[in-house]
Amino acid sequence: MDRILIRGGSRLQGEVQVSGAKNAALPIMAATILCDEPVTLENVPNLVDIDSMERILCCFGIETKREVGGIFRVEPKTLRWFEAPYDLVRKMRASFFVLGPLVAKSGQARVSMPGGCAIGRRPVDIHIKALEKLGVEIAVSHGYVEAHGLELRGAEIVLDFPSVGATENVLMAATLAKGESVIRNAAREPEVSDLANFLVAMGAKIEGIGTDVLHVQGVQSLSGGAYRVIPDRIEAETFMVAGAMTGGDVTITDATPDHCTSVIEKLRQIGARLDVTDGKIRVQGPDEFKPVEVSTMPYPGFPTDSQAQLMALLTIAKGTSIVKETIFENRFMHVSELVRLGADITIDGNCAIVKGVPNLSGSPIMASDLRASAALILAGLIARGETEVLRVYHLDRGYEHIEAKLSALGANVERFRRGQ
Ligand code: UD1
């Protein structure tokens, strides 16, 4: 397995360009199942999770083609099989997003129960309940979800929790249902809005995009066309934290600053200087970091996907910070590894109490999930000496060229391939 070696102590400086958003590209790729004509997606990042979704589309008979520069072409009309097997779905929870579009388009779908990052139980009950409201018949047996529904009917759907994936799954299905659907307590994450905007560009009728009530007027078919995926806010936020915690001066380009408001605000509270202009975020780190309290929340609250990275910074703040995780029940796996680097963190239920220490010291550490891996790399940037991060394959699911991007900013980061 690959590992990354970081020699800490460099101050990051310069410009870094953000890639397309993985969490927007994945549901949009799933949504191409609904289309009748070819689709061209732009700004699709080159990541392992994108490969996984491409493989799933191919296993339905759909033809795909990747081109340099983030172009992803799909010919959906060759759809002829309806099963997403365990071997593919277990690698990534987002594979489950094909259930809604597949059953809406073809009347049937068989999708393995999902896997993905080990950050909690992550059930799919909200997805299933919402699809059942549209008239989909669902049975779970032998680890597979089997869905049937020849004619989906619009319905009033109230989600128990604004789940990102469940909102996306039912939104896709509702576009081809007969009549109107109203999705209440919908997730408002920018990636949900990007999916909705893609569907509208293909001919869907959706109102309330960006709010927690989505009105969908079912249409007979969706066409095709070109669509550009939004920038990755979590990648942008990872570089913002990296710039701040190394006392650096980093400008993030090709971003959508409006999507990063809660993290920008938190970094300002910590003492960093952030200047936001059209599509650019400049971060200048302070000499000393103030402790903060932070609680993860659905958008527009502080994103759970940036919690681990911020915690890496707080390990060296002057005082005690409290980090509360309210979205996932097991998202503190980076804590034990940060402690190996010398951080002083204790966990109390869903709170991590982070007592700032003067510095971290490098050691071998193990990545456990996607965003935890990013946090460990960031910690390595400020740790004295060498930090070796093992199991970095998690990182490749969500960050495009991260070592190259960090190196270009002046970090001393090197990847060793398996066996090196
Ligand atoms: C998406 C993101 C992930 C992010 C998360 C929360 C993608 C590919 N992934 O994941 O990076 O961390 O949103 O912003 O977009 N839940 C249930 N039942 C369900 C569905 C969810 O109990 O049927 C729970 C989950 O276990 C979790 C919480 O709801 O505790 C949030 O999950 P959800 O918003 O669905 O996250 P994902 O769509 O899986």
Side-chain angles (χ1 to χ4, degrees):
M1 275 178 225
D2 291 7
R3 62 204 162 87
I4 288 184
L5 185 73
I6 307 134
R7 293 182 187 88
S10 310
R11 183 173 168 265
L12 300 194
Q13 225 171 345
E15 279 199 358
V16 59
Q17 193 184 350
V18 167
S19 301
K22 164 182 91 77
N23 286 355
L26 290 172
I28 291 174
M29 287 167 76
T32 63
I33 294 171
L34 297 161
C35 298
D36 285 347
E37 290 161 32
V39 176
T40 302
L41 301 178
E42 296 160 21
N43 207 26
V44 175
N46 189 9
L47 299 169
V48 171
D49 274 8
I50 298 291
D51 301 344
S52 299
M53 185 59 91
E54 183 178 16
R55 253 181 249 131
I56 289 179
L57 293 180
C58 292
C59 98
F60 301 149
I62 290 175
E63 287 166 14
T64 63
K65 192 170 170 214
R66 300 267 279 278
E67 289 169 20
V68 281
I71 305 287
F72 185 83
R73 294 186 197 281
V74 187
E75 174 48 271
K77 73 166 185 278
T78 49
L79 170 72
R80 56 187 179 278
W81 297 299
F82 315 105
E83 178 169 322
Y86 172 69
D87 250 11
L88 290 177
V89 177
R90 75 185 166 86
K91 296 195 174 128
M92 176 183 73
R93 182 177 164 84
S95 320
F96 199 69
F97 300 174
V98 298
L99 186 70
L102 202 52
V103 73
K105 179 74 178 169
S106 64
Q108 55 176 309
R110 189 167 187 265
V111 179
S112 170
M113 294 291 274
C117 281
I119 54 172
R121 286 180 304 117
R122 304 185 88 173
V124 287
D125 54 317
I126 305 175
H127 298 241
I128 289 177
K129 256 165 79 182
L131 289 171
E132 281 175 340
K133 283 270 181 188
L134 295 179
V136 180
E137 282 174 24
I138 294 187
V140 182
S141 70
H142 305 292
Y144 276 77
V145 176
E146 293 185 21
H148 292 273
L150 278 180
E151 195 180 69
L152 271 49
R153 294 176 309 274
E156 168 105 10
I157 297 151
V158 184
L159 302 181
D160 290 341
F161 177 84
S163 151
V164 171
T167 304
E168 293 171 341
N169 228 333
V170 72
L171 173 66
M172 290 187 267
T175 58
L176 292 188
K178 202 165 180 190
E180 193 189 21
S181 298
V182 183
I183 307 168
R184 297 191 190 276
N185 202 22
R188 289 183 287 162
E189 270 67 6
E191 296 77 18
V192 177
S193 301
D194 204 34
L195 168 67
N197 287 328
F198 165 79
L199 292 165
V200 168
M202 301 300 122
K205 293 199 173 126
I206 305 170
E207 279 174 17
I209 297 174
T211 76
D212 63 355
V213 185
L214 296 169
H215 290 261
V216 187
Q217 200 65 52
V219 294
Q220 292 245 310
S221 63
L222 296 186
S223 59
Y227 188 82
R228 186 172 177 82
V229 173
I230 54 168
D232 196 314
R233 67 190 165 109
I234 306 299
E235 190 197 4
E237 291 167 1
T238 302
F239 283 111
M240 281 157 59
V241 176
M245 73 197 280
T246 60
D249 184 352
V250 171
T251 300
I252 293 124
T253 66
D254 285 23
T256 307
D258 276 358
H259 293 166
C260 305
T261 322
S262 58
V263 175
I264 290 175
E265 240 358 272
K266 208 40 87 179
L267 286 172
R268 283 185 177 140
Q269 272 180 36
I270 285 169
R273 182 180 165 159
L274 283 104
D275 294 303
V276 175
T277 47
D278 206 23
K280 285 190 183 180
I281 307 165
R282 181 177 177 193
V283 188
Q284 291 167 278
D287 294 333
E288 204 170 87
F289 303 100
K290 293 184 201 131
V292 288
E293 288 192 13
V294 60
S295 194
T296 62
M297 299 293 262
Y299 188 84
F302 193 94
T304 174
D305 284 352
S306 290
Q307 177 256 106
Q309 299 89 312
L310 188 81
M311 196 189 293
L313 181 158
L314 294 174
T315 60
I316 53 158
K318 211 162 171 62
T320 301
S321 302
I322 311 277
V323 179
K324 189 170 177 186
E325 173 57 56
T326 75
I327 306 294
F328 291 107
E329 72 269 27
N330 186 23
R331 209 170 193 181
F332 283 146
M333 282 178 301
H334 43 285
V335 167
S336 56
E337 303 306 293
L338 291 173
V339 168
R340 281 174 64 79
L341 297 178
D344 181 349
I345 309 172
T346 43
I347 296 175
D348 181 8
N350 66 348
C351 286
I353 298 133
V354 188
K355 288 190 184 146
V357 294
N359 47 58
L360 302 181
S361 57
S363 95
I365 44 178
M366 190 88 82
S368 52
D369 67 66
L370 167 53
R371 304 302 167 184
S373 320
L376 299 183
I377 303 273
L378 298 195
L381 294 176
I382 52 162
R384 291 188 171 165
E386 290 187 351
T387 298
E388 189 184 33
V389 184
L390 308 172
R391 294 207 180 155
V392 291
Y393 58 85
H394 291 289
L395 199 67
D396 299 330
R397 291 187 43 212
Y399 288 92
E400 196 178 41
H401 314 306
I402 189 160
E403 313 96 90
K405 287 184 181 184
L406 285 171
S407 298
L409 293 173
N412 193 333
V413 180
E414 204 177 341
R415 179 185 289 244
F416 292 90
R417 301 275 163 205
R418 192 198 312 226
Q420 261 186 313

